[in-house]
Amino acid sequence: MHGGTRACCRDLKLQLVHVRGGRLTPGTVLDVKATCWGVAHSGDNVVVSYICPPWLEVMNTDGRVLHQYQDPGAAPTFKTPYFLTTSSDGFIYVADQLLGTITKLDSSLKILQTLSDPHLKGPKGITSVGDGQLLVCSWSKDSIVHVNVNSGKMTTILGKADGILEPRSLAYCPQQRKLFVCTDNETDIIQVYQID
């Protein structure tokens, strides 16, 4: 977890928060069109997901919408795009819990790839751990899954035996190589794992 700008959504507002030198300071407040769910930053822009109906937006830090994605037809790409992340190479990844998919998009929200696998069931939290490498909470399988986007290979790296129960969200600290996992099982615990 490094310096930069983060955001949170409440009451049709998106609050940007600056992180510098271990300190948090409030930033710009952006108006959003509906209750947003997922928020990530990509360069100087903010990526936001909504679920009623499901759609995605890329906006600048002044709140101007630059790109928008809504499903064009009967076969939806997204049903529940709750969680998303961005990678250092500029791609956006969206976990859809109901469809059981990970979708890769470019910075203008063009869909590049959709992945699914039996290891991935009920994906929730998602984080990039390197170009083309993701960690995803497989909520329904009580596990953390490593996704190699280039090969499409998915491997369970942590499971019930490691204390993973209903994982909801996660964050990765590359400097310390630590993974922080929050769960849906009504505990106030953040589990910390060393990733080698």
Side-chain angles (χ1 to χ4, degrees):
M1 304 166 338
H2 45 80
T5 301
R6 302 291 184 263
C8 60
C9 180
R10 183 183 168 133
D11 300 326
L12 304 184
K13 303 282 184 193
L14 185 68
Q15 172 74 62
L16 300 181
V17 178
H18 300 286
V19 183
R20 295 213 186 2
R23 296 184 53 124
L24 302 176
T25 56
T28 308
V29 176
L30 307 177
D31 291 319
V32 291
K33 296 174 187 67
T35 300
C36 58
W37 189 270
V39 178
H41 69 90
S42 179
D44 292 332
N45 297 323
V46 179
V47 185
V48 182
S49 69
Y50 305 88
I51 57 169
C52 292
W55 90 90
L56 305 171
E57 286 182 338
V58 174
M59 62 180 68
N60 66 17
T61 53
D62 293 328
R64 185 168 60 90
V65 175
L66 305 173
H67 305 284
Q68 192 174 66
Y69 179 86
Q70 287 184 285
D71 281 325
T77 303
F78 302 111
K79 284 189 176 180
T80 52
Y82 290 132
F83 294 91
L84 55 94
T85 191
T86 57
S87 60
S88 60
D89 53 3
F91 294 110
I92 300 162
Y93 296 93
V94 179
D96 192 296
Q97 183 181 353
L98 287 181
L99 293 177
T101 58
I102 303 297
T103 301
K104 177 182 178 180
L105 304 98
D106 68 13
S107 59
S108 63
L109 298 179
K110 178 184 175 189
I111 292 178
L112 304 174
Q113 183 179 13
T114 299
L115 300 167
S116 63
D117 187 276
H119 285 281
L120 192 64
K121 192 164 172 81
K124 286 195 172 187
I126 182 170
T127 190
S128 174
V129 294
D131 292 347
Q133 307 295 315
L134 306 170
L135 294 178
V136 182
C137 294
S138 183
W139 185 82
S140 300
K141 292 195 84 157
D142 295 320
S143 62
I144 304 298
V145 175
H146 174 261
V147 178
N148 182 319
V149 177
N150 299 323
S151 69
K153 183 177 179 183
M154 298 189 195
T155 309
T156 298
I157 62 165
L158 295 168
K160 279 186 181 179
D162 304 296
I164 301 291
L165 295 171
E166 299 176 354
R168 179 181 180 85
S169 60
L170 70 170
Y172 177 67
C173 176
Q175 295 84 2
Q176 298 177 4
R177 299 188 61 80
K178 289 186 178 177
L179 181 67
F180 301 84
V181 180
C182 290
T183 64
D184 267 347
N185 59 10
E186 298 184 12
T187 63
D188 293 329
I189 297 171
I190 296 175
Q191 296 163 291
V192 183
Y193 298 90
Q194 190 71 43
I195 302 295
D196 296 320

